[in-house]
């Protein structure tokens, strides 16, 4: 045995060249990988920070341009309002007999004179007197202008402008002119907010600004405007981002991959643009190309790979040189170990030097001198230990039934001196005892041989749901015994579950053992839950209890033969269940949590290769197998199989 270990050790050392090289490889690769990861992470973080700063700068620039444009529009509208002709119109319209048709074209002239895209004159009652952008609106009502008392102090705002055949987004300002009698004339003027506005933004390289004009009920690709003349390719890729902002207007950041190339990715910071009533009228999208980051990352990876390749080449040369100085004596040790393994205990090797390899050679020679003595002692010790273990097992299992047998035989021997009547009495009592104890001996042998004598399954078609219901019917009298905690049953069975190929008798036994196991762990009552379902070509079965649960260590060993968590039991019940499920080409597993019960999950194939086409009748429990109100509340027929 020691020679075998030495052989394995020398065999391991014989590959020291490879091991040294692998150690160097892993060290170099690990170091280079850590450095590359750190540099890449730092680079990415720096890029993201720079990208955020540039985006904030563009947003600030947009807001400044927006504010300046709004101030310019407000000034132009104020100029219209301050004109003498506007004052005369306001005074005239304040009269009760005013003819509004005289001013129906005034808005067009005012728009041209003050370079505005939209101008409307609205009377004191909200009636549109004149409209430059949509003459058909003359005579309609603009009641919203009356909602604000002091328009002259209100800055420009975003507004949806309804045109004759479309709509436009306008940066609008409103000013009023009093005509007397508390009647005012409102001048509503504005300019389009479109790609021309985006042209005014100064954008760094690799960045662009987009504007989505949100005037239609649904997403419209044509409403997505670009600040460059080339336009936008694949605008539908931005639809999910736009739709999300439309549902909940807030600033969002998303990365869009335009194609499979990582360098095509672009990060968009989307900012909602709201109207005066907080309605979403537009979305500003600032895009930042990630191509520079991808290219820089690729360069870092390629540089790291080149460094690693050079280091590996150097490592290979160094490891070959070091290994050559080590492997020669190790190879001699390996040859010596093989000699010892072949039975030549007198083998010795030459020791060169007193370094670690020399010390190993000295230890090898010492080992071979003592191996012969130790081998004989070890063999003798192992034989004694094996006999002791066998004797312990036999004594443990047979001691209890053998002692009553001995007493009974002694009683029979003493009874031979009694008269016939007394002898007959002792004889009958003794033979009854002998039968009981012999039955116990037979049960012990049977329990330890059941696991090795499992019959081969005879597959037929059967209904799993019905098999589970039959098990519950068998145990129902035990669930509701008067004076004992009740056991409730819950079903979660898939009614359309197909029939499967299985052995009804063996499967019946497996289900019984699991229900018995559930009963044992719920001495104070509880609930047994049965579930079935389908998963592809398999049927799923779950049997759960509401007991105290098991530890992870207990779950790992639960199906081990002769292992049990109970005070009494052989530890064969669940091992037999696992054997039955395995013979059905299925699987069984257990999940549990202390204080929350245990669940056994069985997965069985619907079809078996050697199954018959006949339908299997569900086996009914034999009359002596029904649960009785005895001390242990365990059916006698299945008590031996319970874990």
């Amino acid at each position: 045995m020691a020679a075998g270990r030495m052989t394995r050790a020398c065999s391991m050392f014989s590959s020291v060249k490879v091991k040294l090289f692998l150690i160097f490889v892993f060290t170099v690769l690990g170091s280079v990988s850590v450095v590359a990861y750190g540099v890449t992470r730092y680079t990415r973080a720096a890029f993201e920070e720079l990208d955020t700063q540039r985006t904030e700068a563009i947003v600030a620039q947009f807001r400044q341009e927006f504010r300046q444009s709004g101030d310019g529009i407000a000034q132009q509208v104020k100029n219209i309002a301050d004109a003498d002709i506007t004052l005369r119109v306001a005074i005239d319209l304040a009269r009760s007999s005013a003819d509004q048709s005289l001013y129906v074209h005034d808005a067009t002239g005012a728009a041209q004179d003050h370079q505005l895209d939209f101008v409307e004159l609205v009377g004191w009652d909200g009636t549109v007197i004149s409209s430059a952008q949509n003459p058909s609106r003359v005579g309609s009502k603009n009641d919203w202008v009356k909602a604000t008392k002091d328009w002259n102090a209100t800055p420009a705002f975003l507004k949806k402008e309804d045109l004759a055949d479309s709509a436009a987004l306008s940066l609008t300002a409103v000013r009023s002119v009093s005509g007397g009698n508390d009647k005012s004339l409102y001048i509503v003027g504005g300019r389009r907010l479109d790609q021309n506005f985006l042209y005014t933004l100064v954008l760094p390289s690799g960045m662009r600004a987009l504007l989505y004009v949100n005037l239609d009920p649904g997403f419209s690709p044509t409403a997505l405007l670009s600040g460059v003349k080339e336009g936008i390719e694949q605008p539908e890729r931005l639809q999910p981002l736009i739709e999300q902002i439309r549902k909940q207007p807030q600033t969002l950041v998303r990365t869009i991959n335009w194609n499979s190339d990582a360098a095509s990715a672009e990060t968009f910071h989307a900012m909602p643009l709201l109207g005066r009533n907080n309605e979403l009228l537009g979305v500003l999208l600032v895009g930042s190309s990630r191509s520079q980051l991808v290219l820089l990352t690729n360069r870092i990876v390629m540089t790291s790979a080149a460094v690693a390749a050079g280091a590996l080449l150097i490592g290979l040369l160094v490891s070959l040189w070091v290994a050559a100085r080590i492997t020669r004596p190790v190879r001699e040790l390996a040859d010596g170990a093989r000699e010892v393994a072949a039975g030549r205990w007198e083998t010795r090797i030459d020791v060169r030097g007193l370094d670690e390899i020399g010390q190993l050679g000295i230890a090898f020679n010492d080992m071979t001198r003592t191996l012969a003595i130790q081998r004989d002692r070890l063999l003798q010790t192992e034989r004694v230990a094996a006999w002791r273990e066998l004797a312990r097992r036999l004594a443990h299992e047979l001691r209890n039934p053998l002692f009553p047998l001995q007493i009974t035989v002694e009683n029979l021997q003493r009874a031979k001196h009694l008269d016939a009547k007394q002898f007959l009495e002792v004889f009958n009592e003794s033979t009854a005892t002998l039968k009981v104890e012999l039955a116990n001996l037979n049960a012990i042998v049977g329990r330890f041989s059941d696991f090795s004598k499992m019959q081969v399954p005879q597959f037929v078609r059967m209904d799993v749901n019905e098999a589970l219901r039959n098990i519950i019917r068998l145990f129902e009298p035990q669930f509701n015994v008067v004076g004992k905690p009740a056991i409730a049953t819950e079903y979660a069975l898939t009614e359309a579950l197909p029939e499967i190929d299985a052995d009804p008798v063996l499967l019946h036994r497996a289900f019984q053992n699991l229900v018995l196991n559930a009963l044992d762990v719920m001495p104070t009552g509880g609930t047994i839950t049965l579930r079935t379902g389908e998963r592809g070509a398999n049927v799923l079965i779950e049997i759960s209890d509401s007991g105290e649960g098991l530890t992870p260590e207990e779950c790992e060993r639960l199906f081990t033969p002769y292992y049990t968590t109970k005070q009494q039991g052989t530890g064969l019940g669940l091992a037999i269940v696992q054997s039955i499920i395995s013979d059905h080409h299925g699987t069984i597993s257990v999940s549990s949590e202390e204080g929350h019960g245990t669940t056994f999950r069985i997965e069985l194939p619907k079809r078996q290769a050697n199954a018959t086409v006949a339908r299997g009748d569900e086996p009914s429990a034999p009359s002596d197998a029904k649960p009785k109100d005895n001390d242990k509340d365990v059916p006698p027929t299945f008590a031996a199989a319970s874990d």
Side-chain angles (χ1 to χ4, degrees), residues 171-323:
L171 183 55
T172 301
V174 180
R175 294 294 181 264
S176 61
V177 179
S178 175
N181 300 324
D182 293 330
K183 295 180 180 180
S184 298
L185 174 66
Y186 299 96
I187 295 89
V188 182
R191 292 196 184 103
R192 290 178 183 270
L193 191 66
D194 54 14
Q195 62 266 32
N196 292 324
F197 184 85
L198 298 178
Y199 294 156
T200 63
L201 301 179
V202 179
L203 302 175
S205 175
M207 300 193 73
R208 61 173 173 167
L210 307 178
L211 176 65
Y212 180 78
V213 181
N214 186 45
L215 303 179
D216 297 325
F219 177 80
S220 174
T222 59
L224 192 60
L225 308 178
S226 173
V228 295
K229 294 180 171 53
E230 290 78 6
I232 305 171
E233 295 183 359
Q234 307 180 59
E236 65 278 357
R237 290 292 187 94
L238 294 170
Q239 181 175 356
L241 176 58
I242 300 297
E243 293 291 351
Q244 188 171 356
I245 294 182
R246 293 178 62 170
K247 292 179 181 178
Q248 187 175 3
Q250 61 180 355
T251 301
L252 296 177
V253 180
R254 293 290 184 273
T255 298
I256 306 297
N257 293 308
W258 297 107
N259 53 53
S260 58
D261 185 4
S264 70
E266 189 174 5
T267 299
F268 282 95
H269 291 70
M271 182 182 71
L273 303 178
L274 306 178
R276 56 186 301 272
N277 295 321
N278 291 325
E279 71 275 21
L280 182 67
L281 295 178
V283 180
L284 175 67
L285 300 104
V286 179
S288 176
S289 174
R290 302 185 72 84
S291 59
Q292 294 181 352
L293 176 62
V294 172
L295 293 176
L296 184 57
T297 302
N298 291 340
R299 288 181 182 176
I300 294 174
V301 172
M302 292 177 63
T303 303
S304 301
V307 172
L312 291 179
L313 179 59
I314 296 174
L316 176 60
L317 298 176
V318 172
S319 61
L320 290 176
W321 178 76
V322 174

Side-chain angles (χ1 to χ4, degrees), residues 428-501:
N428 290 336
E429 181 180 347
S430 298
T431 53
T433 302
L434 288 172
K435 288 181 179 180
V436 171
E437 296 306 328
L438 288 173
N440 287 340
L441 283 173
N442 187 56
I444 291 172
V445 175
R447 286 199 298 268
F448 284 93
S449 63
D450 270 352
F451 192 66
S452 62
K453 293 182 178 179
M454 294 293 295
Q455 66 186 60
V456 178
Q458 303 297 318
F459 296 115
V460 295
R461 297 287 168 81
M462 63 170 291
D463 187 338
V464 172
N465 288 345
E466 188 60 27
L468 293 172
R469 292 189 183 99
N470 286 341
I471 292 297
I472 298 303
R473 294 189 192 104
L474 174 66
F475 285 93
E476 276 180 348
Q478 186 175 341
F479 291 167
N480 301 287
V481 176
V482 178
K484 293 188 177 182
I487 302 294
T489 305
E490 293 184 358
Y491 291 98
L493 307 179
T494 300
E495 294 302 329
L497 195 69
E499 293 182 339
I500 68 170
D501 296 339

Side-chain angles (χ1 to χ4, degrees), residues 124-184:
W124 58 270
D125 59 350
T127 301
V128 177
I129 306 299
S130 176
S131 176
Q133 65 269 21
N134 190 1
S136 62
R137 287 176 45 81
V138 174
S140 62
K141 290 289 187 178
N142 265 359
D143 292 331
W144 60 270
V145 298
K146 300 186 298 180
T148 300
K149 299 300 182 182
D150 186 12
W151 277 112
N152 295 325
T154 303
F157 55 89
L158 287 178
K159 178 178 176 295
K160 177 183 178 181
E161 288 291 348
D162 294 319
L163 306 180
D165 54 355
S166 61
L169 181 60
S170 170
L171 183 55
T172 301
V174 180
R175 294 294 181 264
S176 61
V177 179
S178 175
N181 300 324
D182 293 330
K183 295 180 180 180
S184 298

